Amino acid sequence: MSYVIDPAPRAAVPVAGTDASFPVRRVYCVGRNYAAHAREMGHDPDREPPFFFMKPADALVTGGADMPYPVATSDLHHEIEMVVALGKGGRDVPVSAASDLIWGYGVGLDMTRRDLQGEAKKLGRPWDMGKGFDKSAPIAPLHPVSATGLIEDGEIWLDVNGKRRQQSTLKALIWSVSETISYLSGLVELHPGDLIFSGTPEGVAAVGRGDVLHGHVDGLSDLHVRIT
C-alpha cells in the first residue's frame, strides 16, 4: 500500500526483560473505579456501571523518559493505575472468559489536566482535552501473564518526591479486571494490542516541574517519571 504522507510509527511498550515490544492499538481508561477516589471527586461510589474514556496510543511515554509539563493547564494531576494489555480480542465476552484475553500487565499513570477536565464537566462537554493530551500516559515495561499469573490483588501506590500520595490494593477495585473487560466488550469489539487503564485509588493531587513520580504495583516493574 502506498501513502500520500509517511505513516506515523506504531506505538509500542517494552516488554520487561526482553528486546521485544508490545504493539498498542487503543488505550481505554476506566473512570472512578475505586470507591474512595470516587468520593474525593465528589461522586457516589456505589456500583454504577463502569464508564470509559480514551487516550491516543501516541500519548504513551515509555523507557523512563521525562514527561513535559503540558500546555494550557496550571493543575496537572497524577493518577496511578494498573494497566492490562490484551493479547486476544472479542465482543460480548462473558466475565468467566475475560481473563483469557489478557496478555500481561504494567504500571501506568493517567495524567490529567484537572482544570480542563473540571471545566468540561461543568459544561457537559467531553473530557478529551483534559485526559488525552500529548505525553499524558507514562507507562512502565509490561510483564506477560505467563510470568506473573493473573493479578487480582496486591498493593498499588505512588510516591511524589519520595512521599506517599496514593496507596490502596487491587482488591479495592469496584469493578474487577475481568468484569471491566467483559463490560467494555459489550460496548466495542476488543482487539489484540488494546490497553486498559483499570482505575486509580484516592490521593490524586497536583504535580509541577521537577517533581519525580514513582509508581508501583506488586509483581510488576516500577514506573519512574520526572516532570520537566
Side-chain angles (χ1 to χ4, degrees):
M1 180 181 295
S2 62
Y3 298 95
V4 296
I5 61 172
D6 292 335
R10 180 75 178 266
V13 181
V15 175
T18 76
D19 294 328
S21 293
F22 181 89
V24 177
R25 177 179 175 268
R26 291 182 178 176
V27 180
Y28 299 97
C29 303
V30 189
R32 297 194 293 263
N33 203 22
Y34 283 81
H37 173 58
R39 291 189 190 97
E40 76 178 351
M41 299 303 292
H43 297 278
D44 186 341
D46 286 345
R47 206 170 143 88
E48 62 181 0
F51 72 94
F52 302 87
F53 57 92
M54 297 179 70
K55 291 177 179 278
D58 64 5
L60 295 166
V61 180
T62 63
D66 294 341
M67 177 190 167
Y69 195 94
V71 299
T73 186
S74 59
D75 196 19
L76 176 67
H77 280 210
H78 57 72
E79 300 190 12
I80 190 67
E81 315 208 4
M82 184 175 78
V83 181
V84 182
L86 302 187
K88 298 178 182 178
R91 184 185 285 118
D92 295 321
V93 179
V95 173
S96 60
S99 63
D100 294 340
L101 274 60
I102 298 172
W103 183 90
Y105 304 93
V107 180
L109 279 164
D110 164 20
M111 301 301 291
T112 303
R113 294 193 286 200
R114 192 70 74 198
D115 41 5
L116 270 65
Q117 184 197 29
E119 186 66 16
K121 286 180 179 180
K122 286 191 295 183
L123 296 173
R125 294 175 178 172
W127 294 5
D128 298 56
M129 293 299 100
K131 289 286 193 178
F133 54 94
D134 299 339
K135 311 293 184 184
S136 61
I139 187 169
L142 299 176
H143 292 253
V145 69
S146 59
T148 65
L150 291 176
I151 298 180
E152 298 175 332
D153 197 9
E155 285 200 353
I156 177 172
W157 50 257
L158 178 78
D159 289 350
V160 178
N161 301 326
K163 295 183 179 180
R164 191 63 43 92
R165 287 273 190 92
Q166 294 184 261
Q167 185 166 20
S168 188
T169 68
L170 299 175
K171 276 291 188 184
L173 285 167
I174 297 172
W175 292 89
S176 71
V177 168
S178 289
E179 289 171 329
T180 297
I181 292 171
S182 175
Y183 193 94
L184 182 57
S185 75
L187 300 174
V188 294
E189 183 176 1
L190 298 174
H191 290 269
D194 289 342
L195 298 181
I196 301 173
F197 280 60
S198 59
T200 195
E202 69 275 15
V204 300
V207 291
R209 289 181 177 86
D211 285 344
V212 177
L213 284 60
H214 175 192
H216 172 90
V217 173
D218 284 353
L220 302 176
S221 294
D222 283 5
L223 175 60
H224 298 271
V225 180
R226 180 184 297 273
I227 309 298
T228 59

